[in-house]
Amino acid sequence: MAKWTPKHEAPEPLEGPVVATITGGTILWFVLFLVQLPFYGWFEDHGHLWWLWTCLAGAGLGLIGIWYVRKRDAAIKRDAAGRDAAATTGTPGATAAE
């Protein structure tokens, strides 16, 4: 079992413009859907109709992703504000929720 034991600590996760990234990807999926829509008949004739619906599913899941990452970003900012407030009042371990 020793070979499955990590030999070093995991790195911190990278934070970046997550909301913008997910929004850009969602827009890209929707644009791809719209570009392929005029060729619906060709896709249907050649058995590639799933390409069209994959793009629409990507856009739909992207909307869910936008909702999720906006909520996550707001929660991270609330937590940081709570930590800042606790640091200025000198209360160790206090958060905005308390």
Side-chain angles (χ1 to χ4, degrees):
M1 197 68 159
K3 71 178 183 177
W4 297 104
T5 305
K7 294 184 174 33
H8 52 83
E9 240 181 87
E12 289 293 318
L14 296 175
E15 290 294 331
V18 180
V19 176
T21 303
I22 301 300
T23 302
T26 302
I27 291 169
L28 181 63
W29 278 115
F30 190 68
V31 166
L32 288 171
F33 170 75
L34 292 177
V35 166
Q36 291 179 5
L37 198 55
F39 304 103
Y40 184 91
W42 185 89
F43 285 121
E44 189 173 31
D45 292 343
H46 291 87
H48 296 302
L49 199 53
W50 64 272
W51 289 4
L52 187 74
W53 302 123
T54 299
C55 293
L56 188 60
L61 290 172
L63 291 175
I64 295 169
I66 291 169
W67 172 79
Y68 178 82
V69 297
R70 289 185 70 201
K71 290 280 197 179
R72 178 183 176 272
D73 196 38
I76 289 170
K77 287 178 182 174
R78 272 194 316 272
D79 182 60
R83 288 176 193 250
D84 289 345
T88 58
T89 61
T91 310
T95 62
E98 294 179 338

Coordinates of all heavy atoms in Angstrom, one line a residue:
M1 N 0.8 -1.2 0.0 CA 0.0 0.0 0.0 C 0.9 1.3 0.0 O 0.4 2.3 -0.2 CB -0.9 0.0 1.2 CG -2.1 0.9 1.1 SD -3.1 0.3 -0.2 CE -4.6 1.0 0.3
A2 N 2.1 1.1 0.3 CA 3.0 2.3 0.4 C 3.2 3.0 -0.9 O 3.4 4.2 -1.0 CB 4.4 1.9 0.9
K3 N 3.0 2.3 -2.0 CA 3.2 3.0 -3.3 C 2.1 4.0 -3.6 O 2.3 4.8 -4.5 CB 3.4 2.0 -4.5 CG 2.1 1.2 -4.8 CD 2.3 0.3 -6.0 CE 1.0 -0.4 -6.4 NZ 1.2 -1.2 -7.5
W4 N 1.0 3.9 -3.0 CA -0.1 4.9 -3.2 C 0.0 6.1 -2.3 O -0.8 7.0 -2.4 CB -1.5 4.2 -3.0 CG -1.6 3.1 -4.0 CD1 -1.6 1.7 -3.8 CD2 -1.9 3.2 -5.4 NE1 -1.8 1.0 -4.9 CE2 -2.0 1.9 -5.9 CE3 -2.1 4.3 -6.2 CZ2 -2.3 1.7 -7.3 CZ3 -2.4 4.1 -7.6 CH2 -2.5 2.8 -8.1
T5 N 0.9 6.1 -1.4 CA 1.0 7.2 -0.4 C 1.7 8.3 -1.2 O 2.8 8.2 -1.8 CB 1.9 6.8 0.8 OG1 1.3 5.6 1.4 CG2 2.0 7.9 1.8
P6 N 1.1 9.5 -1.1 CA 1.8 10.7 -1.8 C 3.1 11.0 -1.1 O 3.3 11.0 0.1 CB 0.8 11.8 -1.6 CG -0.2 11.4 -0.5 CD -0.1 9.9 -0.4
K7 N 4.1 11.3 -2.0 CA 5.4 11.6 -1.5 C 5.6 13.1 -1.2 O 6.6 13.5 -0.7 CB 6.4 11.1 -2.5 CG 6.4 9.6 -2.6 CD 7.5 9.2 -3.6 CE 7.7 7.7 -3.7 NZ 6.6 6.8 -3.5
H8 N 4.7 14.0 -1.7 CA 4.8 15.4 -1.5 C 3.4 16.0 -1.3 O 2.4 15.3 -1.7 CB 5.6 16.1 -2.6 CG 5.0 15.8 -4.0 ND1 3.9 16.4 -4.5 CD2 5.4 14.8 -4.9 CE1 3.7 15.9 -5.7 NE2 4.5 14.9 -5.9
E9 N 3.3 17.2 -0.8 CA 2.1 17.9 -0.7 C 1.5 18.3 -2.0 O 2.2 18.7 -2.9 CB 2.3 19.1 0.2 CG 1.5 19.1 1.5 CD 1.7 20.3 2.3 OE1 1.0 21.3 2.1 OE2 2.6 20.2 3.2
A10 N 0.2 18.3 -2.1 CA -0.5 18.7 -3.3 C -0.3 20.3 -3.4 O -0.4 21.0 -2.4 CB -1.9 18.4 -3.3
P11 N -0.1 20.8 -4.7 CA 0.0 22.2 -4.8 C -1.4 22.9 -4.6 O -2.4 22.3 -4.7 CB 0.5 22.4 -6.3 CG 0.0 21.1 -6.9 CD 0.0 20.1 -5.9
E12 N -1.3 24.2 -4.3 CA -2.5 25.0 -4.1 C -3.2 25.1 -5.5 O -2.6 25.1 -6.5 CB -2.2 26.4 -3.7 CG -1.7 26.4 -2.2 CD -2.8 26.1 -1.2 OE1 -3.9 26.5 -1.4 OE2 -2.5 25.4 -0.3
P13 N -4.6 25.1 -5.5 CA -5.3 25.2 -6.8 C -5.1 26.6 -7.4 O -4.9 27.6 -6.7 CB -6.7 25.0 -6.4 CG -6.8 25.3 -4.9 CD -5.5 24.9 -4.4
L14 N -5.0 26.6 -8.7 CA -4.8 27.9 -9.4 C -6.2 28.6 -9.5 O -7.2 28.0 -9.8 CB -4.3 27.6 -10.8 CG -2.9 27.0 -10.9 CD1 -2.6 26.7 -12.4 CD2 -1.9 27.9 -10.4
E15 N -6.2 29.8 -9.2 CA -7.4 30.6 -9.3 C -7.2 31.6 -10.4 O -6.1 32.2 -10.6 CB -7.7 31.4 -8.0 CG -8.1 30.5 -6.9 CD -9.5 29.9 -7.1 OE1 -10.3 30.4 -7.8 OE2 -9.7 28.8 -6.6
G16 N -8.2 31.8 -11.2 CA -8.1 32.7 -12.4 C -9.4 33.3 -12.7 O -10.3 33.2 -11.8
P17 N -9.6 33.8 -13.8 CA -10.9 34.4 -14.2 C -11.9 33.3 -14.6 O -12.2 33.1 -15.7 CB -10.6 35.3 -15.4 CG -9.4 34.6 -16.0 CD -8.6 34.0 -14.9
V18 N -12.4 32.6 -13.5 CA -13.2 31.4 -13.8 C -14.5 31.8 -14.4 O -15.0 31.1 -15.4 CB -13.4 30.6 -12.4 CG1 -14.3 29.4 -12.7 CG2 -12.1 30.2 -11.8
V19 N -15.2 32.8 -13.9 CA -16.5 33.2 -14.5 C -16.3 33.6 -16.0 O -17.1 33.1 -16.8 CB -17.1 34.3 -13.7 CG1 -18.4 34.8 -14.3 CG2 -17.4 33.9 -12.2
A20 N -15.3 34.3 -16.3 CA -15.1 34.7 -17.7 C -14.8 33.5 -18.6 O -15.2 33.5 -19.7 CB -13.9 35.8 -17.8
T21 N -14.0 32.6 -18.0 CA -13.6 31.4 -18.8 C -14.9 30.6 -19.1 O -15.1 30.1 -20.3 CB -12.6 30.6 -18.0 OG1 -11.5 31.4 -17.8 CG2 -12.2 29.3 -18.8
I22 N -15.7 30.3 -18.1 CA -16.9 29.5 -18.4 C -17.9 30.2 -19.3 O -18.5 29.6 -20.2 CB -17.6 29.2 -17.0 CG1 -16.6 28.4 -16.1 CG2 -18.9 28.4 -17.2 CD1 -16.1 27.1 -16.7
T23 N -18.0 31.6 -19.1 CA -18.9 32.3 -20.0 C -18.4 32.3 -21.4 O -19.2 32.1 -22.4 CB -19.0 33.8 -19.5 OG1 -19.4 33.8 -18.1 CG2 -19.9 34.6 -20.4
G24 N -17.1 32.4 -21.6 CA -16.5 32.4 -23.0 C -16.8 31.0 -23.6 O -17.1 30.9 -24.8
G25 N -16.6 29.9 -22.9 CA -16.8 28.6 -23.4 C -18.3 28.4 -23.7 O -18.6 27.8 -24.7
T26 N -19.2 28.9 -22.9 CA -20.6 28.8 -23.2 C -21.0 29.5 -24.4 O -21.7 29.0 -25.3 CB -21.4 29.3 -22.0 OG1 -21.0 28.6 -20.8 CG2 -22.9 29.2 -22.2
I27 N -20.5 30.7 -24.6 CA -20.8 31.5 -25.8 C -20.2 30.7 -27.0 O -20.9 30.6 -28.1 CB -20.2 32.9 -25.7 CG1 -20.9 33.7 -24.7 CG2 -20.1 33.6 -27.1 CD1 -20.3 35.0 -24.3
L28 N -19.0 30.2 -26.9 CA -18.4 29.4 -28.0 C -19.3 28.2 -28.4 O -19.6 28.0 -29.6 CB -17.0 28.9 -27.7 CG -16.3 28.2 -28.7 CD1 -16.0 29.0 -30.0 CD2 -15.0 27.7 -28.2
W29 N -19.8 27.4 -27.4 CA -20.7 26.3 -27.7 C -21.9 26.8 -28.4 O -22.4 26.1 -29.4 CB -21.0 25.5 -26.5 CG -20.0 24.6 -26.0 CD1 -19.3 24.6 -24.9 CD2 -19.6 23.4 -26.7 NE1 -18.4 23.6 -24.8 CE2 -18.6 22.8 -25.9 CE3 -19.9 22.8 -27.9 CZ2 -18.0 21.6 -26.2 CZ3 -19.3 21.6 -28.2 CH2 -18.3 21.0 -27.4
F30 N -22.5 27.9 -28.0 CA -23.8 28.4 -28.6 C -23.5 28.9 -30.0 O -24.4 28.6 -30.9 CB -24.4 29.4 -27.7 CG -25.8 29.8 -28.1 CD1 -26.8 28.9 -28.0 CD2 -26.1 31.0 -28.7 CE1 -28.1 29.2 -28.4 CE2 -27.4 31.3 -29.1 CZ -28.4 30.4 -29.0
V31 N -22.4 29.6 -30.2 CA -22.1 30.0 -31.6 C -21.9 28.8 -32.5 O -22.4 28.9 -33.6 CB -20.9 31.0 -31.5 CG1 -20.3 31.2 -32.9 CG2 -21.2 32.3 -30.8
L32 N -21.2 27.8 -32.0 CA -21.0 26.6 -32.9 C -22.4 26.0 -33.2 O -22.6 25.5 -34.3 CB -20.2 25.6 -32.1 CG -18.7 26.0 -32.1 CD1 -17.9 25.0 -31.1 CD2 -18.1 26.0 -33.4
F33 N -23.3 26.0 -32.2 CA -24.7 25.5 -32.5 C -25.3 26.3 -33.6 O -25.9 25.7 -34.6 CB -25.5 25.5 -31.2 CG -27.0 25.2 -31.5 CD1 -27.4 23.9 -31.7 CD2 -27.9 26.2 -31.4 CE1 -28.7 23.7 -32.0 CE2 -29.2 26.0 -31.6 CZ -29.7 24.7 -31.9
L34 N -25.3 27.6 -33.5 CA -25.9 28.5 -34.5 C -25.3 28.4 -35.9 O -26.0 28.4 -36.9 CB -25.9 29.9 -34.0 CG -26.7 30.3 -32.8 CD1 -26.5 31.7 -32.4 CD2 -28.2 30.0 -33.0
V35 N -24.0 28.2 -35.9 CA -23.3 28.1 -37.2 C -23.7 26.8 -37.9 O -23.8 26.7 -39.1 CB -21.7 28.1 -37.0 CG1 -21.0 27.6 -38.2 CG2 -21.3 29.5 -36.6
Q36 N -23.9 25.7 -37.1 CA -24.3 24.4 -37.7 C -25.7 24.3 -38.0 O -26.1 23.4 -38.8 CB -23.9 23.3 -36.7 CG -22.4 23.1 -36.6 CD -22.0 22.0 -35.6 OE1 -22.9 21.3 -35.1 NE2 -20.7 21.8 -35.4
L37 N -26.6 25.1 -37.4 CA -28.0 25.0 -37.6 C -28.5 25.1 -39.0 O -29.3 24.3 -39.4 CB -28.7 26.1 -36.7 CG -30.2 25.9 -36.4 CD1 -30.4 24.5 -35.8 CD2 -30.7 27.0 -35.5
P38 N -27.9 25.9 -39.9 CA -28.4 26.0 -41.3 C -28.1 24.6 -42.1 O -28.7 24.4 -43.1 CB -27.6 27.1 -41.9 CG -27.2 28.0 -40.8 CD -27.0 27.1 -39.6
F39 N -27.1 23.9 -41.5 CA -26.8 22.6 -42.2 C -27.5 21.4 -41.6 O -27.0 20.3 -41.7 CB -25.2 22.4 -42.1 CG -24.5 23.6 -42.7 CD1 -23.9 24.6 -41.9 CD2 -24.4 23.7 -44.1 CE1 -23.3 25.6 -42.5 CE2 -23.8 24.8 -44.7 CZ -23.2 25.8 -43.8
Y40 N -28.6 21.6 -40.9 CA -29.3 20.6 -40.2 C -29.6 19.4 -41.1 O -29.4 18.2 -40.8 CB -30.6 21.1 -39.7 CG -31.4 20.1 -38.8 CD1 -31.2 20.1 -37.5 CD2 -32.3 19.3 -39.4 CE1 -31.9 19.2 -36.7 CE2 -33.1 18.4 -38.7 CZ -32.8 18.3 -37.3 OH -33.5 17.4 -36.5
G41 N -30.0 19.6 -42.3 CA -30.4 18.6 -43.3 C -29.1 17.7 -43.7 O -29.2 16.5 -43.8
W42 N -28.0 18.4 -43.9 CA -26.8 17.7 -44.2 C -26.4 16.8 -43.1 O -26.0 15.6 -43.3 CB -25.7 18.6 -44.6 CG -24.4 18.0 -45.1 CD1 -24.1 17.6 -46.3 CD2 -23.4 17.5 -44.2 NE1 -22.9 17.0 -46.4 CE2 -22.4 16.9 -45.1 CE3 -23.1 17.5 -42.9 CZ2 -21.2 16.3 -44.6 CZ3 -21.9 17.0 -42.4 CH2 -21.0 16.4 -43.3
F43 N -26.4 17.3 -41.9 CA -26.0 16.5 -40.7 C -26.9 15.3 -40.6 O -26.5 14.2 -40.3 CB -26.0 17.3 -39.4 CG -24.9 18.3 -39.3 CD1 -25.1 19.6 -39.2 CD2 -23.6 17.8 -39.3 CE1 -24.0 20.5 -39.0 CE2 -22.5 18.7 -39.1 CZ -22.7 20.0 -39.0
E44 N -28.2 15.5 -40.8 CA -29.2 14.4 -40.7 C -29.0 13.4 -41.7 O -29.0 12.2 -41.4 CB -30.6 15.0 -40.8 CG -31.7 14.0 -40.4 CD -33.1 14.6 -40.4 OE1 -33.3 15.6 -41.1 OE2 -33.9 14.1 -39.6
D45 N -28.7 13.8 -43.0 CA -28.5 12.8 -44.1 C -27.2 12.0 -43.8 O -27.2 10.8 -44.3 CB -28.4 13.6 -45.4 CG -29.7 14.2 -45.8 OD1 -30.7 13.8 -45.3 OD2 -29.6 15.1 -46.7
H46 N -26.2 12.5 -43.2 CA -24.9 11.8 -43.1 C -24.8 11.2 -41.7 O -23.7 10.7 -41.4 CB -23.8 12.8 -43.4 CG -23.7 13.2 -44.8 ND1 -24.4 14.2 -45.3 CD2 -23.0 12.6 -45.8 CE1 -24.2 14.3 -46.6 NE2 -23.3 13.4 -46.9
G47 N -25.8 11.3 -40.9 CA -25.7 10.6 -39.5 C -24.9 11.4 -38.5 O -24.4 10.8 -37.6
H48 N -24.7 12.7 -38.7 CA -23.9 13.5 -37.8 C -24.8 14.5 -37.1 O -24.2 15.5 -36.6 CB -22.8 14.2 -38.6 CG -21.8 13.4 -39.3 ND1 -21.1 12.5 -38.6 CD2 -21.5 13.2 -40.6 CE1 -20.3 11.8 -39.4 NE2 -20.5 12.3 -40.7
L49 N -26.0 14.2 -36.9 CA -26.9 15.2 -36.2 C -26.5 15.4 -34.8 O -26.7 16.4 -34.2 CB -28.3 14.7 -36.3 CG -29.5 15.7 -36.0 CD1 -29.3 16.9 -36.9 CD2 -30.8 15.0 -36.2
W50 N -25.8 14.4 -34.2 CA -25.4 14.5 -32.8 C -24.4 15.7 -32.6 O -24.3 16.2 -31.5 CB -24.8 13.2 -32.3 CG -23.5 12.8 -33.0 CD1 -23.5 12.0 -34.2 CD2 -22.2 13.1 -32.7 NE1 -22.2 11.8 -34.5 CE2 -21.4 12.4 -33.6 CE3 -21.6 13.8 -31.6 CZ2 -20.0 12.5 -33.6 CZ3 -20.2 13.9 -31.6 CH2 -19.4 13.2 -32.5
W51 N -23.7 16.1 -33.7 CA -22.8 17.2 -33.6 C -23.5 18.5 -33.2 O -23.1 19.2 -32.3 CB -22.1 17.5 -34.9 CG -21.1 16.5 -35.3 CD1 -20.7 15.3 -34.7 CD2 -20.2 16.5 -36.5 NE1 -19.8 14.6 -35.4 CE2 -19.4 15.4 -36.5 CE3 -20.1 17.5 -37.5 CZ2 -18.5 15.1 -37.5 CZ3 -19.2 17.2 -38.5 CH2 -18.4 16.0 -38.5
L52 N -24.7 18.7 -33.8 CA -25.5 19.8 -33.5 C -26.0 19.8 -32.1 O -25.9 20.8 -31.4 CB -26.7 19.8 -34.5 CG -27.6 21.0 -34.5 CD1 -26.9 22.2 -35.1 CD2 -28.9 20.7 -35.2
W53 N -26.5 18.7 -31.6 CA -27.1 18.6 -30.3 C -26.0 18.6 -29.2 O -26.2 19.0 -28.1 CB -27.9 17.3 -30.2 CG -29.1 17.4 -31.1 CD1 -29.3 16.4 -32.1 CD2 -30.0 18.4 -31.3 NE1 -30.4 16.8 -32.9 CE2 -30.8 18.1 -32.4 CE3 -30.2 19.6 -30.7 CZ2 -31.9 18.9 -32.9 CZ3 -31.3 20.5 -31.2 CH2 -32.1 20.1 -32.2
T54 N -24.8 18.2 -29.6 CA -23.6 18.3 -28.6 C -23.3 19.7 -28.3 O -23.1 20.1 -27.2 CB -22.4 17.6 -29.2 OG1 -22.7 16.2 -29.4 CG2 -21.2 17.7 -28.2
C55 N -23.4 20.6 -29.4 CA -23.1 22.0 -29.2 C -24.2 22.6 -28.3 O -23.9 23.4 -27.4 CB -23.0 22.7 -30.5 SG -21.6 22.2 -31.5
L56 N -25.4 22.2 -28.5 CA -26.5 22.8 -27.7 C -26.4 22.3 -26.3 O -26.6 23.1 -25.4 CB -27.9 22.4 -28.3 CG -29.1 23.1 -27.7 CD1 -29.0 24.6 -27.8 CD2 -30.4 22.6 -28.3
A57 N -26.1 21.1 -26.1 CA -25.9 20.6 -24.7 C -24.7 21.3 -24.0 O -24.8 21.6 -22.8 CB -25.6 19.0 -24.8
G58 N -23.6 21.5 -24.8 CA -22.5 22.3 -24.2 C -22.9 23.7 -23.8 O -22.5 24.1 -22.7
A59 N -23.8 24.3 -24.6 CA -24.2 25.7 -24.2 C -25.2 25.6 -23.0 O -25.0 26.4 -22.0 CB -25.0 26.3 -25.4
G60 N -26.0 24.6 -22.9 CA -26.9 24.4 -21.8 C -26.2 24.1 -20.5 O -26.4 24.7 -19.4
L61 N -25.2 23.2 -20.6 CA -24.4 22.9 -19.4 C -23.5 24.1 -19.0 O -23.2 24.3 -17.8 CB -23.6 21.6 -19.7 CG -24.4 20.3 -19.8 CD1 -23.5 19.2 -20.2 CD2 -25.0 20.0 -18.4
G62 N -23.1 24.8 -20.0 CA -22.3 26.0 -19.7 C -23.2 27.1 -18.9 O -22.6 27.7 -18.0
L63 N -24.5 27.2 -19.2 CA -25.3 28.1 -18.4 C -25.4 27.6 -16.9 O -25.3 28.5 -16.0 CB -26.7 28.1 -19.0 CG -26.8 28.8 -20.3 CD1 -28.3 28.7 -20.9 CD2 -26.4 30.3 -20.2
I64 N -25.5 26.3 -16.7 CA -25.4 25.8 -15.4 C -24.1 26.1 -14.7 O -24.0 26.5 -13.6 CB -25.7 24.3 -15.3 CG1 -27.1 24.0 -15.8 CG2 -25.5 23.7 -14.0 CD1 -27.5 22.6 -16.1
G65 N -23.0 26.0 -15.5 CA -21.7 26.2 -15.0 C -21.5 27.7 -14.6 O -20.8 28.0 -13.6
I66 N -22.0 28.6 -15.4 CA -22.0 30.0 -15.1 C -22.6 30.3 -13.8 O -22.1 31.0 -12.9 CB -22.6 30.9 -16.2 CG1 -21.7 30.8 -17.5 CG2 -22.7 32.4 -15.8 CD1 -22.4 31.4 -18.7
W67 N -23.8 29.7 -13.6 CA -24.5 29.9 -12.3 C -23.7 29.4 -11.2 O -23.6 30.0 -10.1 CB -25.9 29.2 -12.4 CG -26.6 29.1 -11.1 CD1 -27.4 30.1 -10.5 CD2 -26.6 28.0 -10.2 NE1 -27.8 29.7 -9.3 CE2 -27.4 28.4 -9.1 CE3 -26.1 26.8 -10.2 CZ2 -27.6 27.6 -8.0 CZ3 -26.3 26.0 -9.1 CH2 -27.1 26.4 -8.0
Y68 N -23.1 28.2 -11.4 CA -22.3 27.6 -10.3 C -21.1 28.4 -9.9 O -20.8 28.7 -8.8 CB -21.9 26.2 -10.7 CG -21.1 25.5 -9.7 CD1 -21.6 24.9 -8.6 CD2 -19.7 25.5 -9.8 CE1 -20.8 24.2 -7.6 CE2 -18.9 24.8 -8.9 CZ -19.5 24.2 -7.8 OH -18.7 23.6 -6.8
V69 N -20.3 28.8 -10.9 CA -19.1 29.5 -10.6 C -19.3 30.9 -10.1 O -18.5 31.5 -9.3 CB -18.1 29.6 -11.8 CG1 -17.6 28.2 -12.2 CG2 -18.6 30.3 -13.0
R70 N -20.4 31.6 -10.5 CA -20.8 32.9 -9.9 C -21.1 32.7 -8.4 O -20.7 33.6 -7.6 CB -21.9 33.5 -10.7 CG -21.5 34.0 -12.1 CD -22.6 34.7 -12.8 NE -22.8 36.0 -12.1 CZ -23.9 36.7 -12.2 NH1 -24.9 36.3 -12.9 NH2 -24.0 37.9 -11.6
K71 N -21.9 31.7 -8.1 CA -22.2 31.4 -6.7 C -20.9 31.1 -5.9 O -20.7 31.6 -4.8 CB -23.1 30.2 -6.5 CG -24.5 30.5 -7.0 CD -25.3 31.2 -5.9 CE -26.7 31.1 -6.2 NZ -27.5 31.8 -5.2
R72 N -20.0 30.3 -6.5 CA -18.7 30.0 -5.8 C -17.9 31.2 -5.6 O -17.3 31.4 -4.6 CB -18.0 28.9 -6.7 CG -16.7 28.5 -6.2 CD -16.0 27.6 -7.1 NE -14.6 27.2 -6.7 CZ -13.5 27.9 -7.0 NH1 -13.6 29.0 -7.8 NH2 -12.4 27.6 -6.5
D73 N -17.8 32.0 -6.6 CA -17.0 33.3 -6.5 C -17.6 34.2 -5.4 O -16.8 34.8 -4.7 CB -17.0 34.0 -7.9 CG -15.9 35.0 -8.0 OD1 -14.8 34.8 -7.5 OD2 -16.2 36.1 -8.6
A74 N -18.9 34.3 -5.4 CA -19.5 35.1 -4.3 C -19.2 34.6 -2.9 O -18.9 35.3 -2.0 CB -21.0 35.2 -4.6
A75 N -19.3 33.2 -2.8 CA -19.0 32.6 -1.5 C -17.5 32.8 -1.1 O -17.2 33.1 0.1 CB -19.3 31.1 -1.6
I76 N -16.6 32.7 -2.0 CA -15.2 33.0 -1.7 C -15.0 34.4 -1.3 O -14.3 34.7 -0.3 CB -14.3 32.6 -3.0 CG1 -14.3 31.1 -3.2 CG2 -12.9 33.2 -2.8 CD1 -13.6 30.7 -4.5
K77 N -15.6 35.4 -2.0 CA -15.5 36.8 -1.6 C -16.1 37.0 -0.2 O -15.6 37.8 0.6 CB -16.1 37.7 -2.7 CG -15.3 37.7 -3.9 CD -16.0 38.6 -5.0 CE -15.1 38.5 -6.2 NZ -15.7 39.2 -7.4
R78 N -17.3 36.4 0.1 CA -17.9 36.6 1.4 C -17.0 36.0 2.5 O -16.8 36.6 3.6 CB -19.2 35.8 1.5 CG -20.4 36.6 1.0 CD -21.7 36.0 1.4 NE -21.8 34.5 1.2 CZ -22.2 33.9 0.1 NH1 -22.5 34.7 -0.9 NH2 -22.2 32.6 0.0
D79 N -16.4 34.9 2.2 CA -15.4 34.3 3.2 C -14.2 35.2 3.4 O -13.8 35.4 4.6 CB -15.0 32.9 2.8 CG -14.1 32.3 3.8 OD1 -14.5 32.1 4.9 OD2 -12.9 32.0 3.4
A80 N -13.7 35.8 2.4 CA -12.5 36.7 2.5 C -12.9 37.9 3.3 O -12.2 38.4 4.1 CB -12.0 37.0 1.1
A81 N -14.1 38.4 3.0 CA -14.6 39.6 3.7 C -14.8 39.3 5.2 O -14.5 40.1 6.1 CB -15.9 40.2 3.1
G82 N -15.3 38.1 5.5 CA -15.4 37.7 6.9 C -14.1 37.6 7.6 O -14.0 38.0 8.8
R83 N -13.1 37.0 6.9 CA -11.8 36.9 7.5 C -11.2 38.3 7.7 O -10.5 38.5 8.8 CB -10.9 36.1 6.6 CG -11.3 34.6 6.6 CD -10.4 33.9 5.6 NE -10.9 32.5 5.3 CZ -10.3 31.4 5.7 NH1 -9.2 31.5 6.4 NH2 -10.9 30.3 5.5
D84 N -11.4 39.2 6.8 CA -10.8 40.6 7.0 C -11.5 41.3 8.1 O -10.8 41.9 8.9 CB -11.0 41.4 5.7 CG -10.1 40.9 4.5 OD1 -9.2 40.2 4.8 OD2 -10.4 41.3 3.4
A85 N -12.8 41.1 8.3 CA -13.5 41.7 9.4 C -13.1 41.1 10.7 O -12.9 41.8 11.7 CB -15.0 41.5 9.2
A86 N -12.8 39.8 10.7 CA -12.4 39.2 12.0 C -11.0 39.6 12.3 O -10.6 39.8 13.5 CB -12.4 37.6 11.8
A87 N -10.1 39.8 11.3 CA -8.8 40.3 11.5 C -8.7 41.7 12.1 O -7.9 42.0 12.9 CB -8.0 40.2 10.3
T88 N -9.6 42.6 11.6 CA -9.6 43.9 12.1 C -10.2 44.1 13.5 O -9.8 45.0 14.3 CB -10.4 44.9 11.1 OG1 -11.8 44.4 11.0 CG2 -9.8 44.9 9.8
T89 N -11.2 43.2 13.9 CA -11.7 43.2 15.2 C -10.9 42.5 16.2 O -11.1 42.6 17.4 CB -13.2 42.7 15.2 OG1 -13.1 41.3 14.8 CG2 -14.1 43.5 14.3
G90 N -10.0 41.6 15.7 CA -9.1 40.9 16.6 C -9.8 39.6 17.2 O -9.3 39.0 18.1
T91 N -10.9 39.2 16.6 CA -11.5 38.0 17.0 C -11.0 36.8 16.2 O -11.3 36.7 15.0 CB -13.1 38.1 16.8 OG1 -13.5 39.3 17.4 CG2 -13.8 36.9 17.4
P92 N -10.2 35.9 16.8 CA -9.7 34.8 16.1 C -10.8 33.8 15.7 O -11.6 33.4 16.6 CB -8.7 34.2 17.0 CG -9.1 34.6 18.4 CD -9.8 35.9 18.2
G93 N -10.8 33.4 14.5 CA -11.8 32.3 14.1 C -13.2 32.8 13.8 O -14.0 32.1 13.4
A94 N -13.4 34.1 13.9 CA -14.8 34.6 13.7 C -15.0 34.8 12.2 O -14.0 35.2 11.4 CB -15.0 36.0 14.4
T95 N -16.2 34.6 11.7 CA -16.5 34.8 10.3 C -17.7 35.6 10.2 O -18.4 35.9 11.2 CB -16.7 33.4 9.6 OG1 -17.8 32.8 10.2 CG2 -15.5 32.5 9.6
A96 N -18.1 36.0 9.0 CA -19.2 36.9 8.7 C -20.5 36.1 9.1 O -21.5 36.7 9.4 CB -19.3 37.3 7.3
A97 N -20.5 34.8 9.0 CA -21.7 34.0 9.3 C -22.0 33.9 10.7 O -23.1 33.6 11.2 CB -21.6 32.6 8.7
E98 N -21.0 34.2 11.6 CA -21.2 34.0 13.0 C -21.9 35.3 13.6 O -21.8 36.3 13.3 CB -19.9 33.7 13.8 CG -19.4 32.4 13.4 CD -18.0 32.1 14.1 OE1 -17.3 33.0 14.5 OE2 -17.7 30.9 14.2

